[in-house]
Amino acid sequence: MKKIWQLGFLLTMAFVLLVGCNQSETQKSTEKSGNTTQTADKTATYPMTVKDALGNNVEFKQAPKKIVSLIPSNTEILFALGLDDKIVGVSDNDDYPKAATKKPKVGGMDFNVEKVLSLKPDVVFAHESNAKSVESGLQQLKDAGITVFVVKNATNFEETYDTIKQLGQITNQSQKADQIVANMKAKVKEVQDKVANVKQRTAFVETSDEPEIYTAGKDTFMQEIFDLAKIKNVAADQSGWFKIDPEQIVKRNPDTIIVMEDYVPNIVEKVKKRQGFDSITAVKNNAVVLVHQDLTARTGPRLADGLEEIAKAVYPEAFK
């Protein structure tokens, strides 16, 4: 009986050693292959079915070879994923990156169905923000046998990360998507580290000139940017984007005024000369700053850059 037990013990130990050696060899092989192994792990499997923003289960039989994008945020993500040679059409509003301006245009918010059809894309990436208004056009594309995928309208950084990863998955660029997201998160952390010890300041942001001045309150993407950058929003007592009177801006007395678009020539100087604005701290300290809206409104790879620009506008000394 003792010999049987000893034999069983020896066989068990031999098996453990064999498994250990195999795992060690596998680990060494993985370490030697480096990126090759990572790429293999990230390779997409087709056909794949992905649920879009409208709840539609969209099937992709293979990685798209000809892509049309109907909105700038989608386009910026697709270019960042390295799909320049596969993008055959973009919207009239696409101006970044520069290569996007050289692509065939398919119209604005109301895209040209015939133009899209003529480009013979494998997939058209639409967007939740205007999907209802162009519903009939999207249906025409589907009826013509073109795959239509409606991308979610991201409302925060995390949803933007998810969108980038989703488009990376669909286009067989998951590893690139992961790197983009990692870079964005690193930039966000870098900004937060730089403003961590500053004394908090207040800011006001506007997207249009008087008499129709609109600003961002709480429950907005801009509020999340303010929160990440340790900025107090003087308009956070209201929700969403809303119209505000100039007198209210004077009363709230922000340390910085952020102008989100050069909607009229010399808008920064024009803001400073508004009636009563000479009493605002931002104007007194020459802290009226232009930050182009695309950096914070387009939910794509440049969003972290937009956060940095907003933080620089309010805390310039932290970025010297």
Side-chain angles (χ1 to χ4, degrees):
M1 188 71 180
K2 184 177 181 181
K3 289 182 178 179
I4 294 174
W5 180 88
Q6 288 175 332
L7 178 60
F9 176 77
L10 291 172
L11 289 173
T12 300
M13 289 302 296
F15 176 75
V16 170
L17 288 171
L18 179 62
V19 171
C21 289
N22 286 339
Q23 288 178 335
S24 178
E25 289 302 315
T26 301
Q27 184 176 0
K28 289 178 182 177
S29 177
T30 300
E31 290 172 351
K32 288 179 180 179
S33 58
N35 291 335
T36 301
T37 300
Q38 290 182 348
T39 302
D41 290 343
K42 286 293 185 178
T43 299
T45 302
Y46 298 93
M48 71 167 63
T49 300
V50 184
K51 183 173 291 188
D52 73 1
L54 301 184
N56 301 314
N57 290 315
V58 182
E59 183 182 37
F60 295 88
K61 295 181 179 179
Q62 61 181 358
K65 296 179 180 178
K66 298 179 70 177
I67 300 169
V68 167
S69 172
L70 298 183
I71 199 166
S73 57
N74 286 352
T75 301
E76 291 198 20
I77 294 172
L78 294 167
F79 269 96
L81 290 171
L83 299 168
D84 186 341
D85 61 333
K86 294 179 173 59
I87 299 170
V88 297
V90 299
S91 82
D92 292 354
N93 301 315
D94 288 14
D95 55 9
Y96 187 90
K98 188 176 180 180
T101 65
K102 300 176 182 178
K103 296 291 183 178
K105 304 297 183 182
V106 299
M109 297 301 285
D110 293 321
F111 67 94
N112 186 319
V113 176
E114 289 73 21
K115 179 62 177 179
V116 174
L117 291 173
S118 73
L119 297 172
K120 300 179 180 179
D122 299 322
V123 61
V124 171
F125 286 113
H127 200 261
E128 184 183 14
S129 60
N130 71 327
K132 290 297 182 183
S133 64
V134 297
E135 186 175 11
S136 61
L138 296 179
Q139 188 59 52
Q140 290 181 61
L141 298 180
K142 293 178 185 178
D143 293 341
I146 295 174
T147 299
V148 173
F149 188 88
V150 180
V151 176
K152 180 178 176 61
N153 182 31
T155 59
N156 54 49
F157 274 76
E158 285 300 326
E159 289 183 356
T160 301
Y161 299 151
D162 290 342
T163 294
I164 293 170
K165 289 183 177 181
Q166 184 180 62
L167 291 180
Q169 175 194 13
I170 291 170
T171 58
N172 198 18
Q173 297 294 329
S174 286
Q175 187 175 3
K176 182 67 174 176
D178 288 346
Q179 187 59 57
I180 292 169
V181 171
N183 291 343
M184 291 177 70
K185 288 182 176 180
K187 174 61 73 70
V188 171
K189 185 179 185 304
E190 179 185 340
V191 170
Q192 290 185 300
D193 288 345
K194 287 183 176 179
V195 302
N197 297 318
V198 298
K199 182 179 179 181
Q200 188 179 43
R201 293 176 187 156
T202 61
F204 170 82
V205 60
E206 66 172 48
T207 57
S208 55
D209 193 17
E210 60 180 349
E212 301 283 325
I213 301 174
Y214 278 83
T215 191
K218 61 184 178 181
D219 302 321
T220 60
F221 216 133
M222 184 56 66
Q223 182 63 55
E224 183 184 23
I225 289 175
F226 277 5
D227 291 342
L228 289 171
K230 197 179 175 180
I231 301 167
K232 183 177 180 181
N233 182 8
V234 297
D237 58 322
Q238 295 193 47
S239 296
W241 288 87
F242 63 95
K243 182 180 175 182
I244 187 169
D245 294 328
E247 294 79 8
Q248 277 296 314
I249 303 172
V250 173
K251 183 178 179 180
R252 293 167 193 245
N253 191 29
D255 295 319
T256 304
I257 295 176
I258 300 171
V259 181
M260 296 302 293
E261 199 64 63
D262 48 353
Y263 17 83
V264 295
N266 300 315
I267 182 60
V268 170
E269 294 304 315
K270 188 174 186 296
V271 168
K272 295 176 183 178
K273 294 176 181 177
R274 287 176 184 163
Q275 185 174 359
F277 272 42
D278 56 351
S279 65
I280 297 177
T281 300
V283 176
K284 289 179 178 179
N285 294 338
N286 198 30
V288 180
V289 186
L290 173 65
V291 177
H292 281 284
Q293 190 172 11
D294 291 348
L295 292 175
T296 59
R298 293 183 184 177
T299 49
R302 292 195 294 164
L303 197 58
D305 296 329
L307 168 66
E308 183 177 51
E309 291 304 307
I310 294 292
K312 281 182 180 179
V314 179
Y315 306 112
E317 72 282 0
F319 293 85
K320 288 181 180 178

